[in-house]
Amino acid sequence: MTSIKIEGLTKIYPKLFGNNTKAIDNITLSVEQGEIFGFLGPNGAGKTTLLKMLAGLLYPTSGQIWILGQTMHSVLTKQSMGFLSENPSFYNHLTGFELLGFASGLFGAAGEKRTKSIDTLLQNVGLAESRNIRISDYSKGMIQRLGIAQALVNNPELLILDEPLSGLDPIGRKEFKEIMLSLKEEGKTVFFSTHILADVERICDRVGILHKGSLLRTGELNSLLSERQRNISVSFKPPEDRKTPSFPDAKLTAEGYWNITVKGEKQEEVVASLLKDKAHIISIIPETVSLEDFFVSEIAKNET
Amino acid sequence: MRRWLLPVLIAFGFLLIFLIQNRIDENKEQYSLLKELLYFPSGEFVEQVSIGYNELFADIIWLRAVQYFGEHQMTDLKFKYLYHILDILTTLDKKFIHSYTFGGFLLETSAGEPKNTDQLLHKGEFYNPESWEIPFVRAFIYYAFRKNNKISALFFIRASKKPRAPDMCKRFAGFTFQKLGDKFKALSLWKELYRHSNNPIEKETAQRYLKEITMLIQMDSLQVALNEYMQKKGEFPKSIRQMVKSGFLKNQPKPLWNDEYFYIDRKRNRIWCSYLDKVQSPILNRMMESKSDKSAAVYEK
Amino acid sequence: MKLRTIILNTFKEAVRKKLLFIVFSFSLLLLAASTVLVPLSLGEESKIIMDIGLGSISIFGILLAILIGSQLVFNELERKTIYFIISKPVRRETFIIGKFFGLLLTLTVVIFILIVWFYVILFLLTGLHPASLLISVFLSYLEIVIITAFCIFFSTFTSPIFSSLFTFLLFVIGRLAPDIQLFASKTGNPFAHFSLQFVYYIIPNLSNFNVRGMVVHSETVPQNHILFAIAYAFIYTIILLVASSEIFRRKDL
């Protein structure tokens, strides 16, 4: 089933003086169950606004949202949802354990079962030792982990996370990605936003690019990147009778072999030519465009 | 919640508030605003507490005093806290002449506490030695309510000696040297008061007294005629009309305000007025008992 | 259940505030200090102590309600702790009502301690422990309930400064309500008369809850009055809570 369905969503902030700000401009998007969807965008693109609307914290100006098949106005919807806000802050006077207890209470859970599951949760996010420490004494990384924990308290079907990896060290980031993958294995859906491109690698089924409130592109990461795939990097050694290859563009690499980058269409021509020369082909590797380049160019296209 | 539901609910809520508040206010006579003043043991204490905003407090208390008086005037005529309030009021604002004069007036007439009247007015003279109004009111009270024309005259004279005292003080000093009970002089006194006063309650009172004295004067002249009839005919006339018919009265007396009328009271054997059957006023009684210049002695038979 | 969670959490949060501690200690001191004034009172010791005691309990309750209440909702919004709650399956109304009762619970505990303290002092100094004082305190408590509701109401849409300012102004006006009615009845101008009467009914008439004068002079408070005062406080508070919930419900966070 579709976990999230957004149609024509727009959010306009009216201003008394001057022009209204259009934070989100007519977004249409679907996220299926079991997907991990990463939402990319530069700062100020509107990612937080969108996520807050999904979480029911902001009201759309127009458009519709369906979460887990239900329209957003239902409190029941939130029963199966977990949310983590950007730079979260929690009641400082509580301990980590108490906060999760509070969260459970808000889901209507109580009693013995609750204590056990909270401890397990704390363990999973790596906060087992900080169980009884006041949140006021938590580091940023610990707060982030606690944030993930409180989003998981109710074992939600859908997770909506705003910059979930911010503040985590590399180990933490790895751990979190593991968590997300294991959630996917359980059939859960994860929808998160980030402005750090590396966050989406390895884990996202699909990504979307948001800029100035508009959804520029969505799609599977690989297919998006492979659109740009044009160049092929051919590594070879020239035939024994020659020291230099016949291609003037070829470059000598440190490892001692030659490399030439050719456009995709010319690939066959070049390989055929090398074979004819009896050159020793070591590898033919398609160069993929880096996500960064892809991202930057999409943004640039939208600016114009 | 539908858009319209919220304002409807709130309006309904305030309707209930309105109803409840009204019920509370109806029951509220018992604990009127002035009860708060009973907190304070005396005027001096209040003065300390009001930290420099004396006159403002005095004003607020004045307003409440007037309301208190008005309420009790309408209901039980019990003014037991009146002096206490006036004491506080005049301590907070010692120069507020009107609170002495009006207050003294009320204490004497409505509350019937002459001792407190004297105390209040004495305090007023002490703090306001140049005021003519205060000795004037004292004189008035001695004349009109206490039937002590000697002391009254003294006060009238004292008043007339103050700077800016009006002529009437001297005039009244003159009047009071005459016998008490001269209703005509009393009449002009009330007329003067009525003309000079800015206070609606004073004016109302003066007006009432004017009516009453005029009635009494009329009664006196009717009584004279009645006595003559008695002397000449040896028996009571059947009615006032008979007195007119037989020539002892020129005209049938016209009905007074509110259709009050004169008649011959068989029990008391004298001219009486329907107003007197309705109203009990000690002052009126005193005025009636007094001898008037023009009325002859009680008929003798 | 969820409501209870929020109420308790609010209570725990409020109790930790330093401000509460300061004002509370001050009020305890003041009550104790009223004993110093006793020699000045010319034989009216019990009246003075009761006077000061009832007055302070009332004033400090109101003060605390205003100071803490005004921060309550606004701080959540500022510090973003509110996302944690509202993103969970909790209705927005529940949040507001939970905050209200949490604050009220805090104030109730404070006032309870103050009353006990007050009675101890009164008893030690004068040997009196009249039950009628409790009626006065109870009505003052109702006054505090209304003020608390106002605090919550204002804090759903303004900053702590304005919210405490407005609440304080309403408190002063509310206590002067009878004077407003007095002005209304004395004015000749029909428009002014109507406007003032209207204002009189709209503002919270806090004089309904002031029976200190009667109690101190050992007069009995009529049962009728107490019942109506309770009804008044109840309805007015509900109006405020309904309005607050609605405002909060429609708010973009």
Side-chain angles (χ1 to χ4, degrees):
Chain A
M1 80 149 152
T2 312
S3 287
I4 302 177
K5 184 156 141 100
I6 303 174
E7 240 173 57
L9 191 66
T10 305
K11 177 70 183 166
I12 301 179
Y13 285 109
K15 279 209 187 352
L16 269 179
F17 306 109
N19 297 327
N20 297 339
T21 318
K22 211 179 229 188
I24 296 286
D25 191 356
N26 198 16
I27 291 188
T28 299
L29 175 63
S30 292
V31 178
E32 298 300 318
Q33 188 186 353
E35 269 196 85
I36 299 184
F37 191 102
F39 221 81
L40 297 168
N43 291 329
K47 307 190 292 295
T48 301
T49 309
L50 176 65
L51 263 64
K52 282 210 250 181
M53 282 199 276
L54 291 178
L57 297 168
L58 292 178
Y59 296 104
T61 309
S62 60
Q64 299 247 48
I65 301 179
W66 288 266
I67 304 264
L68 300 169
Q70 295 169 320
T71 56
M72 238 344 270
H73 291 294
S74 161
V75 161
L76 281 177
T77 318
K78 296 186 190 163
Q79 198 76 31
S80 332
M81 209 173 87
F83 176 75
L84 175 60
S85 60
E86 181 187 13
N87 288 327
S89 63
F90 304 111
Y91 294 113
N92 283 331
H93 61 279
L94 298 176
T95 66
F97 182 82
E98 283 169 352
L99 186 88
L100 292 181
F102 186 15
S104 299
L106 294 177
F107 284 105
E112 277 296 315
K113 232 187 356 174
R114 193 171 102 174
T115 312
K116 262 182 76 182
S117 64
I118 292 178
D119 277 322
T120 316
L121 197 50
L122 284 168
Q123 185 124 29
N124 289 345
V125 297
L127 284 177
E129 293 110 43
S130 316
R131 181 190 198 268
N132 294 325
I133 300 180
R134 289 256 179 92
I135 296 179
S136 47
D137 295 331
Y138 274 30
S139 68
K140 170 112 172 74
M142 288 159 79
I143 290 186
Q144 202 65 31
R145 287 166 194 259
L146 187 62
I148 295 161
Q150 61 87 34
L152 292 171
V153 147
N154 56 325
N155 201 18
E157 291 301 313
L158 168 64
L159 278 161
I160 297 183
L161 314 168
D162 198 348
E163 308 268 359
L165 297 172
S166 84
L168 294 175
D169 59 23
I171 298 177
R173 299 164 71 88
K174 179 163 178 292
E175 282 175 4
F176 178 66
K177 287 190 182 182
E178 306 284 314
I179 292 176
M180 288 214 274
L181 286 170
S182 70
L183 286 172
K184 179 185 157 75
E185 259 165 59
E186 291 173 32
K188 318 258 201 257
T189 314
V190 180
F191 184 88
F192 72 96
S193 76
T194 180
H195 63 273
I196 297 177
L197 303 175
D199 287 352
V200 308
E201 281 166 6
R202 267 212 313 127
I203 51 171
C204 287
D205 298 310
R206 284 199 297 152
V207 299
I209 299 187
L210 191 69
H211 184 231
K212 290 190 180 166
S214 298
L215 188 58
L216 299 180
R217 303 296 305 274
T218 51
E220 282 180 35
L221 194 51
N222 283 336
S223 53
L224 285 179
L225 295 180
S226 60
E227 273 172 23
R228 300 301 190 75
Q229 176 195 329
R230 278 186 221 155
N231 298 338
I232 309 226
S233 168
V234 182
S235 302
F236 64 94
K237 280 201 173 124
E240 277 101 29
D241 57 345
R242 278 214 237 163
K243 286 266 168 70
T244 55
S246 39
F247 295 101
D249 301 328
K251 296 189 178 65
L252 183 64
T253 65
E255 289 85 355
Y257 50 80
W258 292 86
N259 181 290
I260 183 169
T261 308
V262 294
K263 286 201 193 296
E265 313 89 72
K266 295 254 174 87
Q267 169 193 321
E268 289 182 10
E269 208 183 293
V270 167
V271 170
S273 161
L274 281 174
L275 286 172
K276 214 169 91 178
D277 282 347
K278 296 216 171 62
H280 183 58
I281 296 181
I282 300 176
S283 65
I284 304 176
I285 300 176
E287 258 184 18
T288 53
V289 163
S290 76
L291 178 55
E292 189 180 326
D293 294 334
F294 176 72
F295 182 75
V296 166
S297 72
E298 285 296 324
I299 302 288
K301 267 202 285 186
N302 194 42
E303 293 275 9
T304 53
Chain B
M1 193 186 280
R2 303 270 173 280
R3 292 235 128 199
W4 53 263
L5 190 56
L6 178 68
V8 164
L9 278 181
I10 291 185
F12 179 67
F14 274 112
L15 179 65
L16 288 178
I17 291 285
F18 172 76
L19 294 172
I20 296 175
Q21 185 64 54
N22 272 338
R23 292 301 300 275
I24 292 180
D25 289 342
E26 276 166 29
N27 293 335
K28 220 177 180 183
E29 194 274 326
Q30 316 247 335
Y31 24 91
S32 67
L33 312 166
L34 289 170
K35 293 286 174 116
E36 289 163 39
L37 284 179
L38 302 179
Y39 253 155
F40 305 106
S42 70
E44 282 83 44
F45 192 94
V46 177
E47 194 180 11
Q48 298 312 313
V49 165
S50 52
I51 47 165
Y53 287 94
N54 292 10
E55 288 79 17
L56 178 63
F57 270 74
D59 290 339
I60 296 178
I61 293 175
W62 174 255
L63 273 175
R64 293 188 177 183
V66 170
Q67 202 213 14
Y68 170 84
F69 178 74
E71 264 174 38
H72 284 272
Q73 179 81 304
M74 291 308 204
T75 57
D76 57 13
L77 296 171
K78 290 201 188 103
F79 301 98
K80 68 178 172 154
Y81 295 113
L82 186 59
Y83 177 63
H84 181 76
I85 293 154
L86 288 168
D87 176 48
I88 293 176
L89 194 56
T90 51
T91 306
L92 280 179
D93 194 347
K94 300 182 172 64
K95 302 279 183 187
F96 190 14
I97 305 263
H98 208 195
S99 52
Y100 296 106
T101 56
F102 184 48
F105 194 76
L106 290 183
L107 280 172
E108 180 77 16
T109 58
S110 303
E113 296 173 8
K115 266 213 195 103
N116 285 336
T117 313
D118 288 339
Q119 214 166 335
L120 185 73
L121 289 172
H122 182 77
K123 178 178 170 190
E125 286 197 81
F126 179 77
Y127 285 112
N128 298 278
E130 304 219 319
S131 154
W132 66 268
E133 297 95 336
I134 296 181
F136 186 85
V137 163
R138 296 196 78 172
F140 187 91
I141 287 175
Y142 273 106
Y143 183 84
F145 308 120
R146 299 190 188 172
K147 307 297 179 65
N148 193 331
N149 50 341
K150 274 211 193 98
I151 301 186
S152 162
L154 288 174
F155 273 113
F156 274 128
I157 289 176
R158 194 195 295 197
S160 68
K161 290 197 180 142
K162 304 284 184 185
R164 291 184 301 276
D167 289 335
M168 69 169 166
C169 299
K170 286 210 190 100
R171 265 186 282 129
F172 287 144
F175 280 157
T176 53
F177 280 115
Q178 294 172 352
K179 265 194 180 155
L180 182 72
D182 189 326
K183 295 188 183 62
F184 288 97
K185 301 234 172 71
L187 194 67
S188 42
L189 202 65
W190 284 112
K191 268 203 194 126
E192 284 281 354
L193 200 72
Y194 179 78
R195 241 185 282 143
H196 278 102
S197 170
N198 285 327
N199 184 313
I201 296 187
E202 259 176 23
K203 267 179 123 78
E204 220 183 273
T205 313
Q207 202 172 31
R208 198 181 82 227
Y209 279 123
L210 280 172
K211 284 191 195 148
E212 287 175 357
I213 292 173
T214 312
M215 176 199 75
L216 286 178
I217 290 175
Q218 217 174 341
M219 258 176 72
D220 277 349
S221 65
L222 287 173
Q223 186 69 32
V224 166
L226 183 71
N227 292 342
E228 274 181 25
Y229 190 99
M230 271 306 302
Q231 270 187 338
K232 298 238 169 82
K233 295 276 180 107
E235 58 167 14
F236 263 134
K238 286 213 197 83
S239 67
I240 295 181
R241 185 155 307 162
Q242 191 170 30
M243 286 167 61
V244 177
K245 278 211 191 118
S246 9
F248 285 91
L249 269 183
K250 274 215 190 87
N251 299 309
Q252 180 77 14
K254 294 206 190 85
L256 302 161
W257 69 94
N258 284 354
D259 296 327
E260 309 288 358
Y261 57 91
F262 295 109
Y263 66 95
I264 300 176
D265 186 332
R266 302 285 167 192
K267 282 208 196 107
R268 292 188 183 96
N269 287 334
R270 58 166 294 160
I271 297 281
W272 204 245
C273 179
S274 58
Y275 180 73
L276 292 169
D277 294 326
K278 294 180 190 155
V279 158
Q280 268 297 355
S281 162
I283 295 150
L284 213 48
N285 289 342
R286 266 186 279 159
M287 290 220 82
M288 276 194 311
E289 284 154 22
S290 65
K291 297 181 170 69
S292 174
D293 282 345
K294 298 213 174 127
S295 68
V298 177
Y299 86 95
E300 276 141 343
K301 188 79 176 182
Chain C
M1 172 62 206
K2 297 178 191 179
L3 185 63
R4 187 150 58 103
T5 313
I6 295 182
I7 293 175
L8 286 175
N9 186 65
T10 308
F11 175 71
K12 279 195 248 175
E13 196 182 345
V15 159
R16 266 166 230 251
K17 289 206 185 286
K18 284 206 197 102
L19 197 57
L20 183 108
F21 180 69
I22 292 173
V23 173
F24 182 58
S25 316
F26 190 71
S27 53
L28 289 176
L29 279 174
L30 187 67
L31 282 175
S34 63
T35 60
V36 171
L37 291 173
V38 163
L40 301 175
S41 55
L42 311 167
E44 304 250 19
E45 296 100 355
S46 55
K47 184 142 138 331
I48 296 284
I49 293 177
M50 285 197 261
D51 207 329
I52 294 182
L54 292 178
S56 337
I57 291 178
S58 169
I59 282 291
F60 283 120
I62 303 268
L63 194 64
L64 275 176
I66 294 180
L67 290 175
I68 298 182
S70 59
Q71 292 177 22
L72 223 53
V73 172
F74 191 77
N75 277 2
E76 293 248 10
L77 293 175
E78 278 299 281
R79 288 187 290 125
K80 317 282 187 196
T81 48
I82 203 164
Y83 295 149
F84 169 68
I85 299 189
I86 303 293
S87 58
K88 307 275 180 287
V90 174
R91 293 164 70 194
R92 298 227 184 163
E93 303 88 83
T94 314
F95 176 74
I96 287 292
I97 295 179
K99 282 279 160 218
F100 171 73
F101 279 111
L103 180 58
L104 196 59
L105 181 62
T106 315
L107 293 171
T108 309
V109 168
V110 165
I111 289 179
F112 181 74
I113 298 177
L114 283 178
I115 296 175
V116 169
W117 181 246
F118 169 55
Y119 261 82
V120 163
I121 292 178
L122 184 67
F123 185 71
L124 287 178
L125 268 148
T126 65
L128 295 170
H129 52 281
S132 58
L133 290 184
L134 287 178
I135 297 181
S136 170
V137 173
F138 174 66
L139 288 180
S140 290
Y141 179 72
L142 290 178
E143 190 183 15
I144 290 174
V145 169
I146 294 184
I147 293 290
T148 306
F150 265 110
C151 259
I152 298 284
F153 172 71
F154 285 122
S155 60
T156 57
F157 58 91
T158 48
S159 65
I161 302 172
F162 282 121
S163 150
S164 33
L165 188 66
F166 291 148
T167 308
F168 180 71
L169 281 176
L170 271 166
F171 165 66
V172 170
I173 294 177
R175 286 210 169 176
L176 291 176
D179 292 289
I180 292 181
Q181 194 186 36
L182 193 58
F183 291 142
S185 63
K186 299 283 181 219
T187 182
N189 179 350
F191 175 71
H193 176 84
F194 179 76
S195 318
L196 284 174
Q197 284 281 52
F198 182 74
V199 168
Y200 171 70
Y201 283 111
I202 292 288
I203 56 173
N205 187 342
L206 299 179
S207 73
N208 292 338
F209 307 103
N210 182 3
V211 294
R212 293 189 280 281
M214 296 181 72
V215 159
V216 164
H217 284 268
S218 305
E219 294 186 22
T220 42
V221 182
Q223 219 183 1
N224 256 356
H225 181 80
I226 300 178
L227 289 175
F228 281 125
I230 294 176
Y232 187 94
F234 184 70
I235 304 262
Y236 210 101
T237 305
I238 289 189
I239 293 176
L240 287 173
L241 288 179
V242 165
S244 307
S245 302
E246 261 309 289
I247 293 176
F248 188 66
R249 198 182 63 83
R250 296 181 193 191
K251 205 176 161 75
D252 274 342
L253 294 177

